Amino acid sequence: MASEGESNNLAGVRHIILVLSGKGGVGKSTISTEIALALRHVGKKVGILDVDLCGPSIPRMLNVHNKDVHQCEGGWVPVFVDQEKSISLMSIGFLLEHPDDAVVWRGPKKNALIKQFVSDVAWGELDFLIVDTPPGTSDEHITTVDALRPFHPMGAVLVTTPQAVSIGDVRRELTFCKKMGLPIIGIVENMSGFVCPHCTECTNIFSKGGGEELARHAGVPFLGCVPLDPNLAQSLEVGKDFLQEFPKSSTYASIISIAQQILDKAANSSS
């Protein structure tokens, strides 16, 4: 059973999505950020919970890394990304005294903060809460899933890159989701080709199709491919909304398609 505080703070959240991968460096934070922005573009109110405690990069990606969190009667107030308060964010990055401080914590302290993030952040009314997780299938992931379980997460989006080594790690993440009873929304293949900023042609600098093949083999949806795009990378570096800046790019179409499938899945789960 959820505690009273947890019920109050997550009662207004309609759908919870975890972004997972068994491997680091595949772009989970990028996919989390762009899904949030895409959902905002269609009028949804979105929260992002960044539980990647040792690598909190989303505050910088959304250009709010210099903001502070505040306390209210219900707990921590998340940082709002825009004036409309359509995207809110909670991250350990806001709690560090200096941005370059390393989080040198043992598992129990990390797990305690994750539980506190779930119970003590006053999210208010949200259509979606996106949870960006660290790599792997360890204590932090078990704690996150267990803490959110009473609120019936919609499921997990698994992120991979085309290479076989990444596919193998994500295959283990599929096993983790199965053991934890976490539904799988689908698989995203990130860094799938390279979009030339001059001619916009997409070239497969890695292998291609591994994510789609993994989804087919596992019997889960394949949500799509997101190519390496210098404009996307630059937008994340300076905290700009790539989808607003480059609506004609093929990467824009890929991200919007992924978000639409998530919306469709959410609509079906609510009906």
Side-chain angles (χ1 to χ4, degrees):
M1 293 293 291
S3 73
E4 183 180 350
E6 290 172 332
S7 298
N8 288 338
N9 283 336
L10 286 173
V13 178
R14 295 176 181 84
H15 303 287
I16 301 173
I17 298 170
L18 288 87
V19 179
L20 300 169
S21 177
K23 184 174 178 59
V26 299
K28 290 184 300 301
S29 297
T30 295
I31 297 300
S32 297
T33 299
E34 294 307 315
I35 288 174
L37 291 169
L39 292 171
R40 179 180 72 173
H41 273 260
V42 294
K44 301 301 181 184
K45 212 170 176 184
V46 186
I48 306 175
L49 177 55
D50 181 5
V51 297
D52 189 352
L53 303 183
C54 295
S57 54
I58 292 184
R60 182 182 179 89
M61 291 179 173
L62 291 172
N63 197 28
V64 290
H65 50 288
N66 293 321
K67 299 291 183 76
D68 297 316
V69 294
H70 302 282
Q71 292 280 339
C72 69
E73 186 176 347
W76 280 322
V77 179
V79 169
F80 295 103
V81 173
D82 50 19
Q83 291 184 343
E84 296 78 19
K85 298 184 177 180
S86 55
I87 296 183
S88 52
L89 170 65
M90 187 62 195
S91 170
I92 194 176
F94 300 129
L95 306 179
L96 300 176
E97 187 174 353
H98 301 290
D100 293 332
D101 285 349
V103 178
V104 187
W105 292 357
R106 295 188 185 276
K109 191 170 182 181
K110 290 181 180 179
N111 295 338
L113 183 61
I114 290 170
K115 291 175 183 177
Q116 193 173 1
F117 274 174
V118 170
S119 64
D120 291 350
V121 178
W123 293 106
E125 297 287 328
L126 292 179
D127 295 299
F128 292 90
L129 176 63
I130 297 170
V131 183
D132 183 42
T133 66
T137 56
S138 59
D139 275 2
E140 293 143 88
H141 304 82
I142 296 169
T143 298
T144 301
V145 174
D146 282 345
L148 292 170
R149 194 186 306 279
F151 310 104
H152 307 293
M154 179 177 160
V157 171
L158 304 187
V159 182
T160 186
T161 55
Q163 302 98 314
V165 64
S166 178
I167 298 295
D169 287 337
V170 176
R171 188 177 289 112
R172 286 185 280 275
E173 198 76 43
L174 284 163
T175 305
F176 169 82
C177 291
K178 184 176 180 181
K179 287 184 176 180
M180 295 298 295
L182 182 64
I184 297 168
I185 297 168
I187 293 175
V188 173
E189 184 178 288
N190 195 26
M191 307 181 195
S192 182
F194 171 77
V195 176
C196 174
H198 305 293
C199 68
T200 70
E201 182 178 347
C202 188
T203 303
N204 294 324
I205 57 175
F206 302 128
S207 55
K208 183 175 173 64
E212 187 169 9
E213 175 62 21
L214 175 60
R216 186 195 63 77
H217 180 75
V220 300
F222 180 66
L223 300 179
C225 299
V226 178
L228 283 166
D229 188 326
N231 290 323
L232 174 57
Q234 180 62 23
S235 296
L236 292 168
E237 281 289 314
V238 298
K240 288 188 176 180
D241 184 345
F242 167 80
L243 300 174
Q244 189 174 45
E245 298 278 328
F246 301 99
K248 296 183 179 179
S249 73
S250 59
T251 306
Y252 170 95
S254 299
I255 294 167
I256 292 297
S257 173
I258 291 166
Q260 185 58 55
Q261 291 175 77
I262 291 172
L263 284 167
D264 293 343
K265 182 87 171 178
N268 291 335
S269 67
S270 299
S271 58

